[in-house]
Amino acid sequence: MDLTTSTSSTASSQYGVRTGVWVNWSRGRALGTTITLSNSDGDLAIAFTAFFVGLVASRFWRIACLCFHRVYSSQNPRDALYHQRQVILRNSESAGSGVWSVIGLYWAWRDSTPAMKILVHTIPLMVFSLACVIGFTLASGFSSRISTTVGNQVLIDGSRCGFLAGGGPVKGTWQIDKFTNAANYAQQCYSSSNGSVSGVLDCTLFVTKNLDIVVDESAPCPFKNGICRSDNANLLLDTGYISSDSHLGINSHPDEVIRIRNTLHCAPLVTEGYTSSRTTSTLNYTRYHYGSRAPTTPGNSSRVDYTIEVKDLASQYIENYQHGSTQYNLDALIAATYRNTFHAAESNWNASADLSLPDADVIINFLSGNGILSLGPIDDPWYRMNKTGPEIGYLFSDTKTQAFMPQEAASPMGCAERFQFCNQSQCGPLASLDDAFEYSAPLFGIAESLNEADSWDPLWEKYASNRLATRFLWLGSAYMSYPLTAYEAMSVLGPQVLESRRRLQGSFQGSFQGALPENQWQLDILFWFKTTLASLQTSFVDIAYGTVDPQFAPYTVNITEPSQKDICNNQIINSTQYASFSLLGVLLTYIGGLVIILVSFILEPLLACLQQRRKRKDYALIEWDANEMLQLQRLAQEGSGWGTWSNCAKSIPTTASPEEALGGVDYSNPNHLKLHVSRRTTDLSETTAVFKEDEASVGDETKSRSGAVHVSEKPASVFSRDDGDEASSESNRQP
């Protein structure tokens, strides 16, 4: 690929773009070979293409006219309509002028010629020329869309490609920044069902605006029966198979494409039998027992036998109601799984037997009201804000409104998150993230354990020549360095990831939750899932382009290994600041057009050459030459006696002298224009007339003599003197 780097300052194209020729493998080698140009160069190419199509149209019309002219040609005497049509075919420069002339021909003869005859002479040519006008007008117009056949897809400049390694003290800030951007993108670009976009973000940046989600709102409980609040009204979200090329923009040969699947299966949990209380001298607490927890205080190495401890309901609403709390509390914990067992190194909670799953990462979320009240009961099974609370008064009024609070100090929800990775023909198991990578690696030619490797650098070196393996390692690197799971979305963003917060209203009396639907918990989870998918879309683009924020740059490891650089330089985005053309479309347009132009110029000389080789006259070709505009002028001038002409069989006849005068138009009768007749022709006509008179006289004389012989009668006045002389001579010669 012959590519150079170009940059744009527009918001929709903050990424540098590589211009030149490249292959978009999602369309195949033939259809996917693409030329990317800057907008100015692209506009120039489109304008030139439109001009070229117009030129091709005129030459195609020339070929068509020659064919029609030869088909209609006849050396038998024909009427004026025939000859006028032949002249139109020979001299119209374009289909537009041709159709207008044929319409004029029809109109001129409509009253004096039988309808069927004029239709036969004009309609076929009229229809064909009109079709040419429409066809090439559309072709010229659509030539401006020659770049839209491949969309606005371009390759970003991967010269600064790199991963955030560790991140040190800024990693939390970096994760919040990335997930906040992803949440904003999900809010604007995943929410519209009709494809319209509202907001300030560019929803056209990625190759796919949003990734599809299959939603099942009647899913079974993901855990053991009895721990879910419902056995058949739970939520299962499934991405289906996400293609690394057509969905994520990683430009790869079809044999190197990776398919990704992500599911999230959630249900609100019961609390009966899973709570206990702790009382102190100041506040009361409620503990939830869904498994043990990692140490919660520094220096304490022992696990605690509860999952989370929160202030009890009364403490939350006495303290926080007085201080006007404006946010829910949302705590998220994860129990990761590796090789189908609990993976303590990646977990902050060990799920109880009721929640433990061997084939998933289990997430538990606790939602606390934190002093927020509702002015109406909310029956959502996670929020459960339908317990009678205090009455709310209003300034300057005795009216009071009944408020409601949650049923529980914290409401738990459990989720099982699973992943699956596939090559083009086989899939690994649908499992926890670690197991999905571990058990899928052999499908991509990797024999080592990815989770137990101290560093992946030896793997990159070992599998550098295996393009499928390097792309799988690239995918794994993205999941390790970028926040891409539902747990990370919940833990990083906290209550900001709740859709219900958009209906929170704060006042000096506290915060009040607006009305919520009974499936609000499902809307919240769906938004979390959309946020993780938006983060997935963003991750590969950000990694390929590299870090631009100076506070994160010191923690970024730039890519130098060739196999990784190849992936960096093959990340596709959409950009309206550049124009991408299908090379096949360009070649077909220009090669096809050049063939038509070439044929139009060699067809007439070729027919003339064939005529000479066959040594016989081709009347159709002779008539084609004679009907040419300058030849018709010569015939008219020569017929009126003007000019001494040469080159009469060529397209441009000439006179013997360039200064030789030709006849002008005689407009003495404006309704019957004709050429002036030359003096030479007039003298010749007079001489011819005298000659004809003498010839007539001689004829009469001969006829008279012939008559005298036959009838023996002669006029005496004509021959008397000669006869008398002749008689005298005869008498004198007698003896």
Side-chain angles (χ1 to χ4, degrees):
M1 295 184 294
D2 184 15
L3 293 169
T4 58
T5 300
S6 178
T7 59
S8 175
S9 60
T10 62
S12 63
S13 185
Q14 59 179 318
Y15 302 98
V17 168
R18 306 174 70 203
T19 56
V21 179
W22 55 284
V23 178
N24 188 338
W25 287 108
S26 65
R27 296 170 54 85
R29 180 179 289 276
L31 295 177
T33 303
T34 303
I35 309 172
T36 297
L37 303 173
S38 65
N39 251 357
S40 57
D41 292 340
D43 291 342
L44 185 63
I46 290 172
F48 182 80
T49 302
F51 170 79
F52 180 76
V53 170
L55 176 62
V56 172
S58 65
R59 302 314 302 174
F60 177 82
W61 176 249
R62 177 79 169 185
I63 297 173
C65 285
L66 176 60
C67 294
F68 272 105
H69 191 281
R70 291 182 65 83
V71 169
Y72 289 138
S73 180
S74 173
Q75 53 185 319
N76 297 325
R78 304 296 294 270
D79 56 19
L81 183 60
Y82 161 84
H83 288 286
Q84 289 176 342
R85 183 186 61 190
Q86 294 293 84
V87 170
I88 290 173
L89 287 171
R90 182 61 179 87
N91 295 286
S92 59
E93 294 296 329
S94 66
S97 64
V99 70
W100 186 251
S101 298
V102 174
I103 291 174
L105 187 66
Y106 171 84
W107 190 258
W109 290 94
R110 71 189 188 283
D111 295 328
S112 57
T113 305
M116 183 55 66
K117 180 178 181 180
I118 193 172
L119 288 176
V120 169
H121 278 73
T122 59
I123 289 300
L125 184 58
M126 190 184 304
V127 171
F128 179 80
S129 57
L130 187 61
C132 287
V133 169
I134 296 173
F136 280 100
T137 299
L138 292 175
S140 181
F142 280 107
S143 66
S144 63
R145 299 183 62 185
I146 192 173
S147 66
T148 61
T149 57
V150 294
N152 298 315
Q153 294 187 351
V154 297
L155 290 180
I156 67 174
D157 173 25
S159 59
R160 296 185 301 185
C161 178
F163 295 95
L164 187 73
V170 300
K171 184 172 183 179
T173 303
W174 179 79
Q175 287 183 326
I176 292 174
D177 179 64
K178 295 304 178 183
F179 256 130
T180 300
N181 291 338
N184 290 333
Y185 185 90
Q187 182 65 35
Q188 292 188 20
C189 306
Y190 272 75
S191 299
S192 178
S193 60
N194 58 4
S196 62
V197 177
S198 61
V200 297
L201 295 182
D202 182 7
C203 293
T204 63
L205 175 64
F206 305 122
V207 293
T208 301
K209 189 185 81 169
N210 50 48
L211 302 177
D212 293 334
I213 302 172
V214 178
V215 180
D216 182 1
E217 297 179 348
S218 302
C221 177
F223 310 107
K224 292 183 178 179
N225 289 334
I227 198 169
C228 298
R229 289 194 173 273
S230 172
D231 291 333
N232 54 15
N234 303 295
L235 184 66
L236 174 60
L237 304 177
D238 191 340
T239 62
Y241 292 104
I242 301 170
S243 175
S244 61
D245 60 345
S246 59
H247 292 123
L248 300 179
I250 302 174
N251 190 35
S252 309
H253 189 276
D255 293 337
E256 302 162 4
V257 172
I258 300 174
R259 292 178 294 158
I260 306 166
R261 184 183 176 196
N262 186 192
T263 68
L264 187 63
H265 193 176
C266 298
L269 305 178
V270 298
T271 58
E272 294 80 1
Y274 293 92
T275 63
S276 65
S277 299
R278 185 173 72 92
T279 302
T280 68
S281 59
T282 55
L283 292 173
N284 297 326
Y285 295 88
T286 300
R287 289 177 173 178
Y288 291 85
H289 301 271
Y290 293 94
S292 61
R293 176 84 180 271
T296 57
T297 57
N300 185 0
S301 60
S302 61
R303 302 182 69 87
V304 296
D305 62 353
Y306 57 87
T307 306
I308 192 173
E309 180 181 78
V310 299
K311 296 173 185 177
D312 71 355
L313 193 62
S315 299
Q316 291 182 40
Y317 278 81
I318 291 174
E319 178 182 343
N320 293 321
Y321 174 65
Q322 293 173 348
H323 291 83
S325 173
T326 58
Q327 289 290 349
Y328 291 100
N329 276 343
L330 182 63
D331 296 290
L333 301 172
I334 184 170
T337 300
Y338 176 52
R339 293 188 175 177
N340 304 112
T341 60
F342 174 65
H343 191 194
E346 299 291 334
S347 306
N348 51 18
W349 159 65
N350 187 1
S352 65
D354 293 338
L355 294 175
S356 179
L357 295 173
D359 62 345
D361 293 323
V362 180
I363 307 164
I364 191 167
N365 303 280
F366 292 91
L367 177 67
S368 300
N370 200 26
I372 295 174
L373 296 171
S374 172
L375 297 181
I378 297 175
D379 296 325
D380 177 272
W382 192 36
Y383 286 82
R384 300 175 65 211
M385 199 174 287
N386 49 18
K387 182 177 181 178
T388 302
E391 291 184 339
I392 306 300
Y394 300 91
L395 289 175
F396 312 112
S397 175
D398 295 332
T399 304
K400 292 186 177 182
T401 301
Q402 179 64 60
F404 297 86
M405 64 177 64
Q407 291 280 351
E408 299 279 349
S411 182
M413 179 192 299
C415 294
E417 187 170 25
R418 295 178 174 89
F419 299 86
Q420 187 177 33
F421 304 108
C422 310
N423 59 26
Q424 285 298 90
S425 59
Q426 292 178 289
C427 289
L430 184 63
S432 66
L433 182 60
D434 287 342
D435 282 351
F437 275 108
E438 186 77 6
Y439 298 139
S440 299
L443 301 179
F444 300 90
I446 300 174
E448 292 82 356
S449 170
L450 300 182
N451 292 287
E452 296 179 2
D454 294 333
S455 171
W456 282 16
D457 290 341
L459 298 179
W460 281 107
E461 294 177 5
K462 179 178 180 180
Y463 296 105
S465 60
N466 185 336
R467 294 176 62 86
L468 183 59
T470 56
R471 274 149 179 77
F472 187 69
L473 291 173
W474 184 261
L475 178 66
S477 300
Y479 270 94
M480 288 195 328
S481 64
Y482 216 91
L484 298 176
T485 65
Y487 165 71
E488 290 171 307
M490 301 169 196
S491 61
V492 171
L493 294 180
Q496 296 299 318
V497 81
L498 296 174
E499 283 282 83
S500 59
R501 67 183 176 85
R502 303 181 187 280
R503 296 186 180 182
L504 272 178
Q505 298 178 351
S507 73
F508 71 94
Q509 292 180 299
S511 294
F512 298 93
Q513 177 66 65
L516 297 176
E518 292 185 0
N519 68 334
Q520 181 62 46
W521 71 278
Q522 295 181 341
L523 300 179
D524 288 336
I525 294 174
L526 182 59
F527 181 64
W528 303 345
F529 201 59
K530 291 177 179 178
T531 300
T532 61
L533 295 183
S535 183
L536 180 65
Q537 290 179 276
T538 307
S539 63
F540 296 102
V541 175
D542 283 355
I543 293 170
Y545 190 62
T547 301
V548 294
D549 193 323
Q551 68 174 320
F552 305 133
Y555 306 98
T556 300
V557 177
N558 292 326
I559 298 300
T560 58
E561 204 280 323
S563 62
Q564 297 179 49
K565 290 290 291 183
D566 177 67
I567 303 174
C568 292
N569 290 325
N570 276 283
Q571 180 63 50
I572 300 175
I573 60 172
N574 290 323
S575 175
T576 57
Q577 301 305 311
Y578 297 85
S580 291
F581 302 82
S582 169
L583 183 61
L584 179 63
V586 171
L587 291 177
L588 289 177
T589 299
Y590 280 91
I591 292 177
L594 289 174
V595 168
I596 291 175
I597 292 173
L598 182 63
V599 169
S600 71
F601 281 109
I602 68 172
L603 188 57
E604 294 177 42
L606 180 62
L607 292 174
C609 180
L610 291 176
Q611 177 179 252
Q612 292 178 357
R613 290 179 63 88
R614 293 176 180 177
K615 297 180 180 181
R616 62 185 181 87
K617 299 297 183 182
D618 183 355
Y619 179 80
L621 184 60
I622 294 173
E623 185 183 21
W624 174 261
D625 293 336
N627 285 152
E628 201 274 333
M629 177 178 59
L630 295 179
Q631 285 291 356
L632 291 176
Q633 181 194 43
R634 177 192 67 79
L635 291 172
Q637 293 285 350
E638 196 169 35
S640 297
W642 297 97
T644 304
W645 296 91
S646 60
N647 297 323
C648 298
K650 298 182 179 180
S651 58
I652 302 178
T654 58
T655 57
S657 171
E659 299 178 357
E660 187 173 0
L662 298 179
V665 177
D666 181 359
Y667 58 92
S668 57
N669 183 0
N671 294 324
H672 190 172
L673 299 177
K674 56 185 178 179
L675 289 176
H676 282 294
V677 180
S678 69
R679 181 179 299 278
R680 181 179 60 185
T681 302
T682 304
D683 294 342
L684 180 61
S685 299
E686 292 176 355
T687 302
T688 302
V690 171
F691 175 77
K692 288 182 177 181
E693 289 179 2
D694 292 344
E695 187 179 44
S697 298
V698 172
D700 290 343
E701 181 177 348
T702 303
K703 187 182 296 184
S704 297
R705 289 179 179 176
S706 176
V709 171
H710 290 289
V711 298
S712 301
E713 293 182 357
K714 293 186 293 183
S717 60
V718 177
F719 298 105
S720 60
R721 185 170 60 87
D722 294 334
D723 291 342
D725 294 340
E726 186 178 352
S728 300
S729 299
E730 291 292 336
S731 62
N732 292 333
R733 286 196 293 269
Q734 292 179 356

